Amino acid sequence: MRTVLMVAEKPSLAQSIAKILSRGNMSSRKGLNGACSVHEYSGSFMGQSAHFKMTSVCGHVMTLDFIGKYNSWDKVDPAELFSKAPTEKKEANPKLTMVKFLQVEGRGCDCIVLWLDCDKEGENICFEVLDAVLPVMNKPRGTERTVYRAKFSSITDTDICNAMNHLGEPNRNEALSVDARQELDLRIGCAFTRFQTKYFQGKYGNLDSSLISFGPCQTPTLGFCVERHDKIQSFKPETYWVLQAKVNPEKESSLTLDWDRVRVFDREVAQMFLNITKMAKEAKVESVSKKEKVKQRPLALNTVEMLRVASAALGMGPQHAMQIAERLYTQGYISYPRTETTHYPENFDLKGCLRQQANNPYWAETVKALLSEGINRPRKGHDAGDHPPITPMRAATEAELGGDGWRLYEYITRHFIATVSADCKYLQTTISFSIGPERFTCVGKVVTSPGFTEIMPWHSIPLEESLPHCEKGDLFPIGEIKLLEKQTNPPDYLTEAELITLMEKHGIGTDASIPVHINNICQRNYVTVESGRRLKPTNLGIVLVHGYYKIDAELVLPTIRSAVEKQLNLIALGKANYHQVLEHTLDIFKRKFHYFVDSIAGMDELMEVSFSPLAATGKPLSRCGKCHRFMKYIQAKPSRLHCSHCDDTYSLPQNGTIKLYKELRCPLDDFELVLWSSGSRGKSYPLCPYCYNHPPFRDMKKGMGCNECTHPTCQHSLSMLGIGQCVECENGVLVLDSTSGPKWKMACNKCNVIVHFFENAHKVRVSPETCELCEAALVDVDFNKAKSPLPGDETQHSGCVFCDPVFQDLVELKHAAMRHPMHRGGQGKRQGRGRGKGRRPGGRLNPKKPKDKMAALAAYFV
């Protein structure tokens, strides 16, 4: 019997596919990484009996990054990132141990069937999975085929079974095009981002962005927004005049006529036309025309149109809309949501999809009428050769999906029903009048067949007053003629929907990446989302784009990225060489980077007009250890301390509050300590600004506070305040927060675990003694007599937080409430309190986990 490994892109997809293929007759178990399940069943494969193991990954298995030393912003010249810096594939999420998991499940398997998403990213993940699994699978006999690729567009019984019966091969060229894009974006983006971030954050204090990033797609996206802003700023309104006439076909009714000249920009000329027309007493009908017109039903739905409508009509950001669409797809409600195609293949089961919707109360009548009278073939759209248009695959209710999920599903369903409905037909009547020598017109529309507008009422023809019945030569009394003075209006800021249209038109990004690029310029504080989901550039976004235009316009114009995208598509089609495209593109951007660096003064001139220098920003907080003058705390992102006398800047932990720590000084460098806190329910720890940026010991890394410092005698260090190894993470140590009294706590210096203990204690101190059972440091606790929870009215006790039964009811495990994930330094293994079995300076044993790996202690806390 052959063993067949099958891999999907997400755990929920794996379960759905396995359920369909096994007809529900399967067993399931958790994989070793805890995130992915394995579903097993028996059946036949290629005419032989087989045992199937269906599992999944969680998106990309690997990610591209520079090797270790090239990740240091301080030690590497950004110019080296274009060619000298070697890259490597690393696990995208090391905590999931995905490679090990795949190898455990793949060991001893004979074949593999890849059920990854059917787009370029999916093809790339196919080869990431194969790189992990093929070395441990059974070797093929002779030319026996062992790798298969399933192609599907929806999670339906028909589509999944059809995919299983028509297995193909993964596409190496499409995978290579993704590899090329990843490497280009990494090298180009990192080089420009590192240079301009260090340059400008070292000079200006109120940029209010933790990263001044550049991206080959992100920057042209921002460019569109700033281009519209510039048009608004440079717009000069012009006054114009419009002649408005009203006629009275009946005594109590009036009809407003539109002037055929539309408008004039000369006041005297407008007044002349008014005087001429006022001489006439009646308006004469010059012609009456009636024409049947058609408003076409929409093309089938692709990703870009879905994102446009989600933003403009549903008020959802593109990235949020894409996440909801992906969820609807994995749950089987819609077909694959990433597609450029707007044309249904000839064999697509339109009626089958329509029947699924026959019982929904919102559109049941329309659907039943279409099924009985016959559907209309959808309009011929664009066939990109990827996936069918986005289509509802099964019925759903608002209660099932709820909120935004239902709103997006409802739109997708209404759009699909509209594509197979009739066109909207209406009769347009146009009456042309003459008043003196001037011509005027009025137009009326009457719907004769609503067609698709019944299911998409927002596209319906607006109700208008019916026009009077008249013939050529009829005369109508003039009710009023007047001159209206108006002004031209500037364009408004781009909406997300308009930006998506521009990105698609100019080839910036793909249907999958467009939402990411728009989200990035929002996250970087380059634009803000205003009412109506309009994107208004910030000062930083405006200055950056103007600076790029000043130095090298191609960095921000869409032309160069569009050309790169075409080359990447040629790689995917097998018509361009991967290495040649990579080398040629990097060479172009390397030259541009060197010119940008040499010309940065041009952008700096714009920066200094809009932003304040570091020395003029922030408020005095703590003293510098070098000059003993006050350093200024700059609160704007990224928060930091700046000494204007020494002209030094010191990074700080982000996303928390910083205050002076009792005017205490670091024993190593004489800098005043500051206290970082994530809030009353979170963590807090002191740090030395100098040590945080320049680690004093070999076993420390940049970005470590006093709770990770291995100084042997400093009263704030890990060595003096560390209690025991964290009960949840591998590398962390629980450290006493000496500022937390009377609500005392110890917090892990790596993860967000917090242990509350000894509430209302007068004093808590870490003892030099250690526990005989777990080698954690003992704790001395001193209570006030009136509030002591200790037995026998005792006020003092020394014992182990983990093992002492006296402390059992006084300890509570929690997780810190973090405002945002902390930006911290590296987490390498090191000696110090709570690490390993060696002795720290001073001779005391470091706390360590007992042999059962603290399982008992974890249970104790729970």
Side-chain angles (χ1 to χ4, degrees), residues 670-799:
D670 213 30
F671 273 71
E672 281 189 332
L673 303 183
V674 294
L675 183 72
W676 178 88
S677 173
S678 65
S680 59
R681 294 189 299 134
K683 294 167 64 171
S684 60
Y685 57 86
L687 62 107
C688 164
Y690 190 85
C691 295
Y692 187 82
N693 290 269
H694 306 93
F697 304 114
R698 285 182 185 177
D699 54 4
M700 289 180 65
K701 292 188 177 180
K702 188 175 178 180
M704 290 183 172
C706 296
N707 63 344
E708 294 183 82
C709 177
T710 52
H711 191 292
T713 58
C714 176
Q715 60 178 321
H716 315 293
S717 70
L718 169 67
S719 303
M720 300 303 289
L721 297 178
I723 293 175
Q725 196 160 348
C726 179
V727 295
E728 289 203 4
C729 72
E730 286 294 319
N731 300 324
V733 180
L734 293 167
V735 182
L736 174 66
D737 182 349
S738 57
T739 67
S740 58
K743 295 187 176 182
W744 297 93
K745 60 189 174 186
M746 57 179 176
C748 176
N749 60 7
K750 296 293 184 188
C751 70
N752 66 343
V753 164
I754 286 182
V755 177
H756 291 268
F757 55 9
F758 316 130
E759 189 170 349
N760 296 320
H762 174 62
K763 190 182 292 183
V764 176
R765 188 177 64 85
V766 180
S767 166
E769 305 299 322
T770 57
C771 174
E772 293 180 1
L773 289 176
C774 69
E775 296 187 15
L778 301 185
V779 177
D780 299 330
V781 188
D782 187 356
F783 282 95
N784 289 324
K785 192 166 187 178
K787 295 183 177 180
S788 176
L790 300 175
D793 293 330
E794 290 185 12
T795 58
Q796 294 180 335
H797 187 78
S798 180

Side-chain angles (χ1 to χ4, degrees), residues 349-399:
D349 186 10
L350 295 166
K351 284 189 177 178
C353 291
L354 198 59
R355 285 192 199 97
Q356 296 272 2
Q357 305 298 330
N359 295 318
N360 190 298
Y362 290 105
W363 44 73
E365 285 186 23
T366 305
V367 169
K368 287 173 182 174
L370 282 170
L371 289 170
S372 63
E373 295 166 14
I375 64 171
N376 291 275
R377 188 74 202 162
R379 288 168 57 197
K380 189 175 176 69
H382 168 65
D383 185 0
D386 49 359
H387 287 272
I390 303 168
T391 309
M393 301 311 295
R394 78 177 216 230
T397 63
E398 191 170 358

Side-chain angles (χ1 to χ4, degrees), residues 218 318-319 503 512-523:
Q218 171 194 301
Q319 191 162 39
M503 291 173 75
S513 66
I514 282 173
V516 177
H517 302 315
I518 295 175
N519 187 60
N520 281 343
I521 63 173
C522 297
Q523 294 292 319

Side-chain angles (χ1 to χ4, degrees), residues 193-223:
T193 297
R194 289 186 190 183
F195 172 73
Q196 62 188 28
T197 298
K198 288 184 72 178
Y199 187 89
F200 291 120
Q201 283 186 352
K203 292 191 72 174
Y204 302 102
N206 57 341
L207 297 174
D208 200 25
S209 181
S210 55
L211 198 69
I212 305 174
S213 64
F214 174 94
C217 285
Q218 171 194 301
T219 304
T221 302
L222 173 63

Side-chain angles (χ1 to χ4, degrees), residues 258-504:
D258 297 319
W259 191 21
D260 283 10
R261 293 183 192 273
V262 185
R263 61 186 179 178
V264 292
F265 286 88
D266 189 307
R267 166 88 196 199
E268 291 181 4
V269 172
Q271 188 64 48
M272 177 193 73
F273 285 126
L274 176 65
N275 294 339
I276 291 171
T277 52
K278 275 198 167 180
M279 293 171 65
K281 301 297 181 187
E282 292 179 313
K284 182 182 177 183
V285 176
E286 295 293 337
S287 66
V288 179
S289 67
K290 294 191 176 185
K291 194 173 183 181
E292 245 198 17
K293 291 208 164 188
V294 172
K295 186 172 185 177
Q296 284 190 308
R297 59 194 181 277
L299 286 167
L301 186 64
N302 66 3
T303 306
V304 169
E305 181 63 16
M306 179 189 73
L307 295 177
R308 270 198 290 253
V309 173
S311 176
L314 304 179
M316 297 182 200
Q319 191 162 39
H320 178 56
M322 202 67 222
Q323 288 168 349
I324 292 169
E326 286 173 354
R327 193 188 76 211
L328 292 173
Y329 161 67
T330 57
Q331 292 173 341
Y333 289 106
I334 64 171
S335 62
Y336 193 61
R338 292 196 186 107
T339 177
E340 297 174 17
T341 295
T342 58
H343 177 73
Y344 281 107
E346 294 299 319
N347 60 350
F348 194 90
D349 186 10
L350 295 166
K351 284 189 177 178
C353 291
L354 198 59
R355 285 192 199 97
Q356 296 272 2
Q357 305 298 330
N359 295 318
N360 190 298
Y362 290 105
W363 44 73
E365 285 186 23
T366 305
V367 169
K368 287 173 182 174
L370 282 170
L371 289 170
S372 63
E373 295 166 14
I375 64 171
N376 291 275
R377 188 74 202 162
R379 288 168 57 197
K380 189 175 176 69
H382 168 65
D383 185 0
D386 49 359
H387 287 272
I390 303 168
T391 309
M393 301 311 295
R394 78 177 216 230
T397 63
E398 191 170 358
E400 276 178 73
L401 304 180
D404 289 344
W406 166 254
R407 291 167 64 223
L408 188 61
Y409 174 84
E410 181 185 10
Y411 168 71
I412 291 169
T413 305
R414 287 183 181 275
H415 190 109
F416 167 68
I417 297 169
T419 62
V420 294
S421 298
D423 292 335
C424 172
K425 294 177 182 177
Y426 60 94
L427 185 67
Q428 179 170 296
T429 303
T430 305
I431 306 175
S432 181
F433 292 88
S434 62
I435 302 177
E438 290 304 293
R439 287 292 186 101
F440 294 81
T441 305
C442 68
V443 178
K445 298 171 185 174
V446 177
V447 175
T448 55
S449 173
F452 78 94
T453 61
E454 282 188 323
I455 195 71
M456 298 178 90
W458 55 92
H459 282 303
S460 58
I461 305 297
L463 292 171
E464 296 175 353
E465 288 184 37
S466 56
L467 297 183
H469 178 72
C470 58
E471 293 177 359
K472 183 179 179 181
D474 286 353
L475 300 173
F476 292 95
I478 297 171
E480 179 186 32
I481 295 180
K482 61 181 178 180
L483 206 57
L484 301 178
E485 183 178 309
K486 297 186 178 184
Q487 277 195 328
T488 55
N489 293 316
D492 211 334
Y493 285 105
L494 283 178
T495 63
E496 285 173 331
E498 291 166 338
L499 179 58
I500 290 166
T501 302
L502 284 170
M503 291 173 75
E504 183 192 32

Side-chain angles (χ1 to χ4, degrees), residues 557-666:
L557 289 171
T559 47
I560 192 164
R561 182 60 192 193
S562 180
V564 171
E565 286 289 347
K566 287 175 183 173
Q567 291 297 310
L568 294 174
N569 285 332
L570 289 175
I571 293 174
L573 295 169
K575 295 179 180 179
N577 181 275
Y578 163 79
H579 296 288
Q580 288 177 354
V581 170
L582 206 58
E583 190 177 335
H584 177 67
T585 308
L586 286 174
D587 184 58
I588 291 171
F589 274 96
K590 185 178 181 179
R591 293 167 189 267
K592 289 183 174 295
F593 176 77
H594 284 297
Y595 183 73
F596 180 74
V597 171
D598 293 340
S599 312
I600 194 65
M603 185 182 280
D604 197 26
E605 288 172 3
L606 302 176
M607 282 281 188
E608 63 186 14
V609 172
S610 299
F611 301 102
S612 305
L614 278 174
T617 313
K619 296 178 180 178
L621 179 71
S622 65
R623 289 185 185 273
C624 170
K626 296 177 182 178
C627 65
H628 298 101
R629 288 179 169 87
F630 276 104
M631 297 188 291
K632 284 188 174 181
Y633 172 46
I634 299 163
Q635 204 165 356
K637 289 180 183 179
S639 59
R640 53 209 189 275
L641 286 167
H642 177 71
C643 177
S644 54
H645 184 263
C646 302
D647 196 23
D648 287 332
T649 304
Y650 300 97
S651 300
L652 294 170
Q654 302 298 301
N655 305 311
T657 58
I658 292 282
K659 62 183 180 182
L660 191 62
Y661 185 54
K662 304 177 184 176
E663 297 185 359
L664 297 170
R665 293 176 182 268
C666 174

